[in-house]
Amino acid sequence: MIRAATVDDIAEIRAMIRELAEYERAAEQARATEEQLREALFGEHPAAFALIAEDEETGQALGFALWFPRFSTWTGTRGMHLEDLYVRPHARGGGHGKALLASLAAICHQNGYERFEWWVLAWNEPTIDFYKSLGVELLNEWTVCRLSGEPLVELAAQAPPVLTPVRAL
């Protein structure tokens, strides 16, 4: 069963985020707290949304997908960015990942989102093969850029004064 996450799922979502980070060899980078996730997913202005793959008999969370809307200047429409997709190892191969992706595709279709995009680690061949089996297009001509930590702070310090305050979402 796929369902929208509720505030009661926060601890389980955080646990799965840590499991995913361990799988991706980056456990030390998964620092989000339950309080941060609660605010991001269920606060006054949610930054993201989540779906839960749940065992219908036991109610156990088997996986999750966390996503947020994005905007394309080229199409002039919103799209979806999938931040995390995770299915617990014991539940893999049971169709839960495909069901989560299909549910997200349905959200895109229902809302007129023209693009559904996410990243996958280049070394994660089993997942890449799974995505290819669904007809996913791999955009090898694009490189992900990230600015964080001290370089982000240093660049921010070089910003000119902004005449009109910019509203953060």
Side-chain angles (χ1 to χ4, degrees):
M1 173 177 71
I2 306 298
R3 62 171 177 78
T6 70
V7 72
D8 294 334
D9 294 312
I10 294 294
E12 201 65 41
I13 291 170
R14 183 172 182 271
M16 289 188 283
I17 289 170
R18 296 208 39 88
E19 292 169 26
L20 174 60
E22 288 174 18
Y23 174 77
E24 292 184 348
R25 305 171 190 162
E28 71 285 350
Q29 294 178 39
R31 300 184 321 256
T33 66
E34 287 186 25
E35 181 178 305
Q36 288 173 314
L37 292 170
R38 186 175 293 106
E39 180 63 27
L41 296 173
F42 302 103
E44 186 176 340
H45 301 286
F49 305 91
L51 298 178
I52 300 290
E54 185 176 87
D55 183 297
E56 291 182 23
E57 293 178 16
T58 66
Q60 178 188 17
L62 301 175
F64 81 107
L66 192 141
W67 66 277
F68 54 88
R70 58 185 301 160
F71 180 77
S72 169
T73 57
W74 290 16
T75 67
T77 62
R78 285 187 175 225
M80 177 183 288
H81 177 82
L82 174 60
E83 179 66 16
D84 286 331
L85 175 70
Y86 179 72
V87 175
R88 289 186 154 139
H90 73 276
R92 291 182 188 154
H96 308 293
K98 184 175 182 177
L100 284 164
L101 288 171
S103 296
L104 293 171
I107 292 169
C108 288
H109 183 69
Q110 292 162 3
N111 288 284
Y113 295 178
E114 291 188 24
R115 292 182 177 169
F116 176 19
E117 298 175 334
W118 62 93
W119 304 336
V120 61
L121 290 167
W123 59 259
N124 195 345
E125 291 183 26
T127 300
I128 291 170
D129 290 342
F130 166 63
Y131 292 154
K132 285 180 178 178
S133 76
L134 300 176
V136 168
E137 174 187 9
L138 299 178
L139 303 177
N140 295 323
E141 68 273 12
W142 291 89
T143 299
V144 175
C145 300
R146 177 179 293 159
L147 187 63
S148 62
E150 193 58 33
L152 174 64
V153 173
E154 289 173 7
L155 185 58
Q158 299 173 39
V162 178
L163 297 177
T164 306
V166 177
R167 180 175 74 98
L169 301 176

